[in-house]
Amino acid sequence: MSERTQTQQRVDEDEQTAESTSTACPECSGTLVVDDEHGETVCEDCGLVVEEDEIDRGPEWRAFNANEKDEKSRVGAPTTNMMHDKGLSTNISWQNKDAYGNSLSGKQRQKMQRLRKWNERFRTRDSKERNLKQALGEIDRMASGLGLPKNVRETASVIYRRALDENLLPGRSIEGVSTASVYAAARQAGVPRSLDEITEVSRVEKSEIARTYRYVVRELGLEIKPADPESYVPRFASDLELSDEAEHRARQLLQNAKEQGVHSGKSPVGLAAAAVYAASLLTNEKVTQMAVSEVADISEVTIRNRYHELLEAEQGLTIA
């Protein structure tokens, strides 16, 4: 018998041993059965629970007849509010390649072009769907420009859909309501952006954004707390490449300002920028006011004024 044959025989014996061990009870060598209801593997003879918390690969729903089973059964990707049809329709790629990456022939390309055209027509059947598609595209574009995460885009899409259902759009532009939705969603998620930052990526004026935002929040009854200056600190510190110590010091300055009541009536962006600037000096990571001004998109005069107020608040707290 060759060495290779002997090796293969040993492997087969090991597999058989492992298989028999996995189907036999380690205590009494009895037969193991799987209890799907409780997610356990139990010995029939002695009742020993060999495994528990097994993964249930079945559906999370129950059906009591064939009609319910057909209605509840589902396949494909999860739905998303970021697409006007919630991602339920077919999407034909713009690339003229087949499933193996090979280029299509001229006749096939013409056929795919016709299919794309008709697919787009079927996806947006009326003016309402076309407007919704345009608005959600604007939301995605602005969120990308502002570096907002996916959950903010989803929330902004839901806010816009609610505004559309409540008939809040007549008399207002699609871009204005889209921008207001992004602004509100960012504040709800705790990653706020200033009105100036929103205006930079929007196609409407700052005054219209603020006016539409107030209208949407009031009509939809959105619960949005005032922006916290501390929520701006991580982004400013990251853009300025400051250390964790400087970021922590900036948070301390803002907390002291809140205790002294200095933050009342002040712009949260200005306070955050001043706190980051002061913290960089206190931790010997000197950053110029111009650099902070560019990152926070706020004037150097505002930074200087808030800077002195923050230091005075901390001194007052120390003396008290």
Side-chain angles (χ1 to χ4, degrees):
M1 186 181 295
S2 65
E3 183 177 352
R4 183 175 179 179
T5 306
Q6 291 177 349
T7 304
Q8 184 63 40
Q9 185 177 357
R10 284 198 297 270
V11 170
D12 294 339
E13 291 175 355
D14 291 340
E15 288 179 353
Q16 291 175 0
T17 304
E19 186 177 352
S20 62
T21 303
S22 62
T23 56
C25 176
E27 291 291 333
C28 66
S29 300
T31 306
L32 297 180
V33 293
V34 178
D35 185 355
D36 293 325
E37 184 178 353
H38 298 91
E40 297 174 342
T41 301
V42 188
C43 176
E44 277 188 330
D45 299 332
C46 67
L48 176 69
V49 179
V50 180
E51 291 184 11
E52 59 181 348
D53 297 331
E54 294 181 359
I55 298 175
D56 183 5
R57 302 188 184 278
E60 82 284 1
W61 44 264
R62 293 190 301 170
F64 300 98
N65 54 51
N67 290 334
E68 284 190 10
K69 185 176 182 181
D70 292 338
E71 289 175 1
K72 294 183 178 181
S73 179
R74 59 186 184 272
V75 294
T79 57
T80 173
N81 285 299
M82 294 187 291
M83 299 180 69
H84 72 284
D85 52 12
K86 296 192 175 182
L88 296 176
S89 62
T90 303
N91 187 24
I92 301 177
S93 174
W94 58 269
Q95 294 178 327
N96 290 316
K97 295 182 179 181
D98 61 13
Y100 300 100
N102 301 321
S103 298
L104 300 178
S105 64
K107 188 175 181 180
Q108 288 175 322
R109 283 200 297 271
Q110 291 178 358
K111 180 180 179 181
M112 293 307 299
Q113 187 61 33
R114 288 196 302 273
L115 287 173
R116 289 191 193 97
K117 184 190 299 183
W118 282 105
N119 184 54
E120 282 300 312
R121 290 177 181 176
F122 283 124
R123 288 182 69 183
T124 52
R125 290 168 293 182
D126 51 30
S127 59
K128 183 177 180 181
E129 286 194 358
R130 284 194 295 272
N131 293 342
L132 181 59
K133 183 179 180 181
Q134 178 187 346
L136 296 181
E138 279 291 292
I139 289 174
D140 188 61
R141 181 188 64 80
M142 289 185 287
S144 297
L146 294 167
L148 295 172
K150 185 177 179 180
N151 66 307
V152 176
R153 305 181 193 195
E154 190 86 26
T155 304
S157 302
V158 172
I159 292 174
Y160 186 89
R161 286 175 183 273
R162 287 188 58 194
L164 188 63
D165 293 338
E166 295 290 335
N167 202 27
L168 303 183
L169 265 71
R172 291 166 183 81
S173 66
I174 294 174
E175 291 82 1
V177 180
S178 302
T179 309
S181 301
V182 173
Y183 184 47
R187 293 186 63 171
Q188 276 190 333
V191 286
R193 297 294 187 269
S194 66
L195 264 178
D196 292 326
E197 291 176 300
I198 294 286
T199 306
E200 286 181 3
V201 298
S202 178
R203 293 193 172 104
V204 294
E205 299 294 329
K206 181 178 178 180
S207 57
E208 183 181 346
I209 297 172
R211 185 170 60 252
T212 307
Y213 166 75
R214 289 193 295 269
Y215 175 73
V216 169
V217 170
R218 183 177 67 253
E219 293 298 321
L220 296 182
L222 301 178
E223 296 182 0
I224 301 178
K225 298 179 181 178
D228 188 351
E230 289 188 45
S231 60
Y232 293 92
V233 170
R235 183 159 56 92
F236 292 167
S238 176
D239 292 342
L240 293 167
E241 298 181 353
L242 296 176
S243 64
D244 293 340
E245 182 186 0
E247 182 180 335
H248 179 68
R249 193 71 178 85
R251 290 180 182 274
Q252 282 185 331
L253 288 169
L254 290 172
Q255 289 170 3
N256 294 337
K258 289 177 186 177
E259 292 182 18
Q260 294 290 309
V262 175
H263 70 296
S264 180
K266 304 292 193 310
S267 166
V269 180
L271 282 170
V276 169
Y277 173 66
S280 67
L281 298 180
L282 294 172
T283 55
N284 295 321
E285 301 178 41
K286 295 184 179 180
V287 175
T288 63
Q289 292 180 7
M290 183 181 295
V292 179
S293 174
E294 291 177 356
V295 167
D297 195 17
I298 200 164
S299 68
E300 295 180 34
V301 177
T302 303
I303 294 175
R304 283 195 292 272
N305 292 339
R306 300 292 93 82
Y307 164 75
H308 293 301
E309 291 173 0
L310 288 174
L311 293 183
E312 288 174 3
E314 186 171 42
Q315 289 175 359
L317 194 65
T318 305
I319 294 172

